[in-house]
């Protein structure tokens, strides 16, 4: 009897389990499976489930919109304005405080690219060259700047040609202020600012020597002041042409430096850079005086109006010209000083090489005269014509 009762209980439990499981599924999944004893409950669950799905989808869409807006704030330039043209409408940009967020994002991108170039290109080449610590730091600096200057020259040349600044030099100062910029011009300036700002923490990451830090800080600050000044004073067109000239000479210099590390006797590129350097300084000064001193001075609108981006006043023009002329004069003075030092070292090495062959002969004669020679247990010392002999003591 007990066995039969146990079988009945087991059978009833097995029959009740599917019903309990179905009810639980209805409660958890919103009544999609349904229950034969209470169909209105399942319909209510289905309706609630559809409402919840719509709410969750709307919340997800709102979150996507918010995240997309914040992502665009970091990635793309801000302050876009649609300008009517003959063909239709074009999108132009102007600067503002939100550009700092975009510059911050591209600073991190520049740090990542810097590390990639250092690890996968420069470190492998420097291991084969077996450079010293001083040359190794200079090699890394020149290698990074060669990559940056080459990409900047190509990009800047493309922008200048497509915008027509080379074919029409008057466009550098006509229609000033150049408040609205094309996308590629503004993005170029933001990337330039991001690169030179990323160079400041790289001094710590690369473990630059203390003796080299002041020199590198001078160049970084010079580039930041000139690029930010051209961007904020709405002299972006003139700044593009000047950067193209400056980056071309810097690319040639660092290329010559890398070739010198590979072969110390190769100085042909240094000679070419020395010739191009002086000509570039002359072109930059001439173009700056022509555009700022003569072009902007003849413009009708010469009122100081920061809201409209107009800085075309006598004081602003003088400050910009003094800054450009002082920077070029300082660079020229450093160039002349380094060339004079290089020539002094070269002539000192040449004079030392001429004196080297006579030195061993004199030393050999002195050694023969002052030192003795051993022969059959007797040491004979020669001093002019007289000789003295001494017997060696046996050990």
């Amino acid at each position: 009897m007990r066995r039969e009762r146990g079988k009945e209980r087991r059978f009833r439990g097995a029959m009740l389990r599917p019903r309990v499981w179905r009810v639980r599924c209805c409660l958890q999944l919103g009544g999609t499976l349904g229950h034969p004893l209470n169909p209105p409950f399942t319909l209510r669950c289905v309706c609630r489930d559809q409402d919840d799905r719509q709410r969750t989808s709307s919340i997800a869409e709102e979150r996507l919109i918010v995240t997309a807006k914040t992502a665009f704030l970091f990635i793309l330039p801000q302050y876009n304005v649609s300008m009517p043209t003959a063909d239709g409408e074009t999108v132009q940009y102007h600067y503002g405080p939100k550009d700092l967020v975009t510059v911050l994002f591209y600073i991190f991108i520049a740090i990542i690219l810097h590390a990639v170039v250092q690890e996968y290109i420069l470190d492998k080449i420097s291991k084969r060259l077996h450079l010293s610590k001083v040359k190794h730091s200079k090699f890394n600096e020149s290698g990074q700047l060669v990559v940056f200057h080459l990409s900047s020259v190509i990009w800047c040349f493309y922008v200048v040609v497509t915008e027509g600044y080379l074919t029409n030099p008057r466009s550098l100062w006509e229609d000033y202020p150049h408040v609205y910029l094309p996308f590629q011009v503004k993005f170029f300036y933001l990337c330039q600012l991001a690169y030179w700002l990323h160079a400041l923490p790289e001094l710590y990451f690369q473990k630059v020597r203390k003796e080299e830090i002041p020199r590198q800080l001078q160049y970084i600050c010079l580039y930041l002041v000139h690029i930010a000044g051209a961007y904020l004073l709405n002299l972006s067109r003139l700044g593009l042409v000047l950067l193209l000239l400056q980056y071309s000479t810097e690319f040639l210099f660092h290329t010559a430096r890398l070739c010198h590390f590979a072969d110390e006797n190769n100085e042909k590129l240094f000679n070419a850079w020395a010739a191009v350097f002086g000509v570039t300084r002359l072109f930059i000064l001439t173009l700056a005086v022509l555009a700022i001193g003569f072009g902007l001075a003849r413009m009708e609108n010469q009122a100081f109006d920061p809201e409209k981006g107009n800085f075309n006043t006598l004081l602003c023009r003088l400050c910009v010209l003094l800054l450009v002329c002082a920077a070029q004069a300082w660079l020229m003075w450093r160039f002349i000083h380094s060339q004079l030092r290089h020539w002094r070292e070269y002539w000192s090495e040449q004079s030392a090489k001429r004196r080297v062959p006579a030195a061993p002969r004199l030393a050999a004669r002195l050694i023969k005269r002052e030192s003795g020679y051993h022969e059959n247990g007797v040491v004979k010392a020669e001093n002019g014509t007289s000789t003295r002999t001494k017997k060696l003591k046996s050990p």
Side-chain angles (χ1 to χ4, degrees):
M1 295 291 291
R2 292 180 180 177
R3 290 180 181 179
E4 292 178 355
R5 290 179 181 176
K7 290 180 181 179
E8 290 179 357
R9 290 176 183 175
R10 291 175 186 174
F11 180 75
R12 290 178 182 176
M15 293 296 291
L16 291 173
R17 280 174 190 171
R19 294 183 180 180
V20 173
W21 178 77
R22 290 177 67 185
V23 171
R24 288 179 181 176
C25 291
C26 292
L27 294 174
Q28 292 177 359
L29 302 177
T32 53
L33 296 178
H35 194 276
L37 301 177
N38 195 5
F41 176 76
T42 58
L43 293 174
R44 291 174 185 173
C45 292
V46 171
C47 294
R48 289 178 182 177
D49 189 15
Q50 291 178 355
D51 294 337
D52 293 338
R53 287 179 181 177
Q54 290 178 357
R55 290 176 184 175
T56 53
S57 63
S58 62
I59 292 170
E61 289 177 357
E62 290 178 357
R63 289 179 180 177
L64 286 173
I65 292 170
V66 172
T67 53
K69 288 181 178 179
T70 53
F72 290 151
L73 180 63
F74 284 91
I75 298 172
L76 296 177
Q78 302 298 312
Y79 304 105
N80 54 338
V81 178
S82 59
M83 303 292 292
T85 57
D87 298 334
E89 290 185 356
T90 58
V91 179
Q92 301 287 330
Y93 295 84
H94 60 92
Y95 63 83
K98 291 182 181 180
D99 293 339
L100 297 175
V101 181
T102 309
V103 170
L104 179 63
F105 174 75
Y106 284 101
I107 285 173
F108 293 109
I109 298 297
I111 291 173
I112 295 170
L113 294 177
H114 189 111
V116 170
V117 172
Q118 182 67 39
E119 184 175 355
Y120 291 98
I121 299 176
L122 298 179
D123 288 342
K124 293 182 180 180
I125 297 174
S126 61
K127 287 180 181 179
R128 296 181 180 180
L129 296 176
H130 303 288
L131 301 173
S132 61
K133 291 184 178 179
V134 178
K135 291 184 177 180
H136 182 71
S137 63
K138 292 181 179 180
F139 177 82
N140 291 334
E141 178 189 357
S142 296
Q144 294 287 345
L145 290 175
V146 161
V147 175
F148 168 71
H149 287 310
L150 178 60
S151 59
S152 297
V153 165
I154 296 172
W155 190 4
C156 188
F157 182 76
Y158 173 77
V159 173
V160 169
V161 171
T162 53
E163 295 296 330
Y165 300 151
L166 288 181
T167 56
N168 186 16
R170 290 185 179 181
S171 62
L172 299 179
W173 61 82
E174 284 183 348
D175 299 330
Y176 182 84
H178 306 138
V179 178
Y180 298 105
L181 307 174
F183 172 80
Q184 55 185 356
V185 175
K186 180 172 181 177
F187 191 61
F188 176 81
Y189 272 97
L190 294 179
C191 291
Q192 293 295 315
L193 291 172
Y195 180 85
W196 290 111
L197 285 173
H198 112 280
L200 295 174
E202 283 294 338
L203 296 176
Y204 174 76
F205 295 148
Q206 295 292 323
K207 297 180 181 180
V208 180
R209 296 185 305 153
K210 294 182 179 179
E211 297 82 4
E212 294 290 328
I213 289 176
R215 180 185 62 83
Q216 294 192 20
L217 281 177
Q218 289 174 356
Y219 283 103
I220 292 169
C221 293
L222 273 177
Y223 277 112
L224 284 175
V225 169
H226 284 77
I227 294 171
Y231 183 65
L232 296 176
L233 297 177
N234 296 317
L235 295 171
S236 56
R237 299 179 183 181
L238 178 63
L240 282 172
V241 180
L242 297 184
L243 280 176
L244 179 61
L245 296 173
Q246 177 65 23
Y247 283 165
S248 300
T249 56
E250 290 295 316
F251 170 71
L252 186 60
F253 168 72
H254 290 289
T255 304
R257 205 177 183 186
L258 292 178
C259 294
H260 179 71
F261 288 136
D263 185 8
E264 294 183 354
N265 296 322
N266 187 6
E267 294 187 355
K268 294 181 180 180
L269 287 177
F270 275 116
N271 297 329
W273 167 75
V276 172
F277 186 85
V279 177
T280 304
R281 304 280 80 76
L282 182 62
F283 268 105
I284 289 175
L285 287 174
T286 305
L287 191 60
V289 172
L290 179 64
I292 299 172
F294 292 97
L296 293 178
R298 295 179 180 179
M299 298 294 294
E300 296 179 357
N301 190 6
Q302 295 188 10
F304 183 75
D305 192 359
E307 294 181 358
K308 294 183 179 180
N310 190 4
F311 301 95
N312 188 14
T313 60
L314 180 61
L315 181 61
C316 292
R317 291 198 302 269
L318 287 176
C319 291
V320 173
L321 279 177
L322 285 175
L323 179 63
V324 174
C325 293
Q328 300 306 313
W330 181 75
L331 290 173
M332 198 68 191
W333 179 80
R334 292 289 300 269
F335 171 74
I336 294 171
H337 181 71
S338 64
Q339 290 297 315
L340 290 175
R341 185 181 61 185
H342 178 70
W343 288 340
R344 288 173 186 172
E345 293 176 355
Y346 175 75
W347 288 113
S348 63
E349 289 178 359
Q350 293 296 325
S351 61
K353 287 180 181 179
R354 292 175 184 176
R355 295 175 184 175
V356 166
R361 295 181 182 178
L362 295 174
R365 290 177 183 177
L366 292 173
I367 291 170
K368 287 182 180 179
R369 288 179 181 179
E370 294 178 358
S371 64
Y373 58 91
H374 187 271
E375 182 181 357
N376 296 326
V378 176
V379 173
K380 296 182 179 180
E382 294 182 0
N383 292 322
T385 56
S386 63
T387 60
R388 292 178 296 175
T389 61
K390 292 182 181 180
K391 292 184 180 180
L392 292 175
K393 293 181 181 182
S394 59

